[in-house]
Amino acid sequence: MGSRHRSWVVVGALLVAGAIGACGTDEPAAAPSPDDAGDDRRADARSADPDASTQDAALEASTQDAALDALTDADASLLAPGFVYRDINHVLGTGQSLSVGSQGTPVLSTAQPFDNQMFVTGVIAGGAGLTSFVPLVEGPRETLSSAFASLVTKLARDVVLLGQPAGQTSHDLLVSAHGVGGQPYAALKKNGTLTAYANGIAQAQAAHDLAVAAGKTHVIRAVTNVHGESDHNAQNPAYEADLLEWQRDYETDVRAITGQAEPVPMLHTQFSSWTKLGSRLTTSAVAAAQLSAHVAAPGKIILVGAKYHLPYAPDGVHLTNEGYRHMGEDYAKVYRRVILEGKAWEPVRPKAVTRVGATVTLTMFVPAPPLVLDTQRVSDPGSYGFEWTDDGPDVPTISSVAVTAPDTVTITLSAPPNANGRLRYAFTGVSGALGGPTTGPRGNLRDSDATPSRHGYDLFNWAVHFDVAAP
């Protein structure tokens, strides 16, 4: 599992071609659906065949139990040695429209299965009226928040905190979002053109004041961020530096409020829908910057992964309600590793690239080996998403792609390449194509993560968008 793997140094510069696009504003919310606490996407199929329903439920229960056993047995001690228990574990959420669930209707998470909380003003809390906490639910649309918090709590109770002292066997979250749809970093940053950042700091201050008044301890554990589309549209050349500044500002201002020693990492994802944005360019420098920021600031800017495997709304830019819920569980796995276990997180990304003649060998960071080329969940865009480019004039094509070891992919070219070769993955899309697992910039490489989802999703880690030198 991911908790057994350490970080290494990436080989090869992360360079990209240009980018343009735009993220739209939030859509009007539809009416919420009835609650499906503990829901399962397979429920309709089961209801049609009661015997199959019983068998499938038993199989899923045994599979989840086995996965949890494996997660528990993999490490002698899961909780980070320096972890400090707090009463209120607060996670702030920023970004643009995908951070606040645009088009994520109908609402799925309408009941709180654990003790996770939000402000009385809602999960998208704003900066005023933050006077009390209530159970965390979604509305008027599904964001990543509830699924994120619930899987964190489940993994904490069932796996990480087993054997801890009485009163310290759960890890419930307070989640408060303050993102704004369609806005670039310049609007969302500290002293930006909007009040988003100030609202986030107001949420931190209000939660701390409420905790102190109740005689409880409070800490900001992390900031989740879902962003990038508007800076892609603006062709922002400084996006990597902006991400680093964004995290530093949150950490500095939060520590001034709480007095905490704990860091405040920013967990973020690459955006994967650039072909549908703006002028429909086929590549994105911002997606590359989201990876390079992770490499440049270990433990500060943490790349959860890409988003091409998720279900997209009809506009091909935003996610469906299921997509937001799945994304929340992707973030939860990384939170568990970084915050609860105190370990480094590496997504499925290049560790080293070597070449002998026409054979390119790519070694990857793999949270949960082995690597798999999966064309069932994501359709093959050609060569499983891999591309080769060099100085030409006759650029060789890719003849074959194969997983040749648990952490290794071997790419065979049609001929020995020319100078300045580069290997790319999920890097070039089709202009105007919708984002998503059958249409957008994508690839088929994933790991074998068996972390059990609360909602029946496959929580594999899919390889990130990348472009690396291949000497």
Side-chain angles (χ1 to χ4, degrees):
M1 292 302 302
S3 58
R4 302 201 300 270
H5 292 265
R6 299 290 182 182
S7 301
W8 296 80
V9 179
V10 70
V11 176
L14 295 165
L15 302 175
V16 317
I20 302 178
C23 182
T25 58
D26 294 346
E27 297 294 324
S33 67
D35 174 45
D36 62 6
D39 52 298
D40 194 315
R41 295 181 300 162
R42 300 178 180 86
D44 291 342
R46 288 176 181 163
S47 62
D49 183 349
D51 292 335
S53 173
T54 302
Q55 293 168 6
D56 290 348
L59 177 59
E60 284 192 7
S62 64
T63 300
Q64 290 205 359
D65 288 345
L68 287 171
D69 288 344
L71 288 168
T72 305
D73 295 342
D75 300 271
S77 177
L78 289 172
L79 187 65
F83 183 84
V84 179
Y85 179 86
R86 310 285 186 179
D87 297 314
I88 299 174
N89 303 287
H90 192 174
V91 176
L92 300 171
T94 191
Q96 49 189 111
S97 55
L98 274 71
S99 75
V100 292
S102 179
Q103 300 194 27
T105 56
V107 171
L108 299 171
S109 305
T110 58
Q112 175 49 235
F114 299 105
D115 295 316
N116 297 303
Q117 296 180 306
M118 64 182 182
F119 284 104
V120 69
T121 50
V123 67
I124 306 169
L130 308 171
T131 56
S132 63
F133 304 137
V134 297
L136 172 61
V137 294
E138 297 296 321
R141 50 193 177 268
E142 189 81 11
T143 74
L144 68 88
S145 304
S146 292
F148 164 70
S150 291
L151 187 58
V152 166
T153 301
K154 181 172 176 58
L155 291 172
R157 292 184 182 188
D158 292 353
V159 182
V160 183
L161 298 180
L162 290 178
Q164 294 300 310
Q168 298 186 17
T169 57
S170 186
H171 186 83
D172 300 290
L173 299 183
L174 167 68
V175 182
S176 61
H178 51 276
V180 181
Q183 298 300 320
Y185 172 69
L188 303 177
K189 69 177 184 176
K190 182 176 182 178
N191 299 320
T193 57
L194 296 179
T195 60
Y197 184 90
N199 286 346
I201 299 306
Q203 291 164 15
Q205 184 68 65
H208 191 70
D209 292 345
L210 288 168
V212 170
K216 296 183 176 181
T217 54
H218 167 250
V219 64
I220 306 290
R221 294 289 186 187
V223 177
T224 61
N225 186 7
V226 194
H227 193 256
E229 293 87 349
S230 290
D231 285 271
H232 168 96
N233 179 56
Q235 301 183 67
N236 178 4
Y239 194 70
E240 176 186 339
D242 289 343
L243 285 172
L244 272 60
E245 178 182 69
W246 213 351
Q247 185 275 332
R248 281 197 306 269
D249 285 342
Y250 272 109
E251 185 168 85
T252 298
D253 291 347
V254 159
R255 282 176 160 173
I257 292 169
T258 66
Q260 67 189 66
E262 290 91 339
V264 184
M266 178 174 282
L267 312 183
H268 75 140
T269 42
Q270 284 177 312
F271 90 106
S272 301
S273 59
W274 60 81
T275 53
K276 191 58 179 172
L277 299 177
S279 61
R280 311 296 199 256
L281 288 191
T282 59
T283 60
S284 176
V286 164
Q290 289 170 325
L291 173 57
S292 57
H294 168 91
V295 176
K300 298 291 188 179
I301 300 291
I302 299 174
L303 182 59
V304 173
K307 292 197 283 287
Y308 57 82
H309 62 292
L310 299 172
Y312 278 72
D315 69 355
V317 174
H318 302 94
L319 302 179
T320 65
N321 52 3
E322 296 275 3
Y324 289 116
R325 194 166 62 171
H326 187 154
M327 180 171 67
E329 294 200 328
D330 286 342
Y331 275 74
K333 293 190 309 175
V334 178
Y335 182 99
R336 171 227 171 156
R337 178 172 174 82
V338 173
I339 305 302
L340 296 178
E341 296 182 355
K343 298 176 181 177
W345 167 260
E346 290 294 350
V348 179
R349 71 174 182 92
K351 181 188 296 183
V353 183
T354 60
R355 182 185 60 82
V356 177
T359 301
V360 180
T361 302
L362 173 66
T363 306
M364 303 288 285
F365 293 98
V366 187
L371 289 170
V372 175
L373 291 169
D374 184 342
T375 58
Q376 177 184 354
R377 294 168 179 83
V378 175
S379 67
D380 185 359
S383 300
Y384 301 106
F386 286 94
E387 308 169 49
W388 178 267
T389 185
D390 59 33
D391 286 349
D394 297 318
V395 178
T397 59
I398 293 177
S399 299
S400 67
V401 177
V403 173
T404 52
D407 65 346
T408 303
V409 179
T410 299
I411 297 99
T412 303
L413 304 177
S414 60
N418 305 289
N420 298 318
R422 303 194 67 80
L423 183 66
R424 295 169 171 172
Y425 172 85
F427 182 78
T428 305
V430 176
S431 179
L434 303 173
T438 63
T439 50
R442 65 195 187 278
N444 302 103
L445 188 64
R446 63 162 174 86
D447 73 355
S448 299
D449 196 331
T451 301
S453 165
R454 294 189 64 254
H455 303 291
Y457 306 131
D458 295 315
L459 297 183
F460 303 125
N461 301 296
W462 293 81
V464 301
H465 305 280
F466 67 79
D467 169 26
V468 293

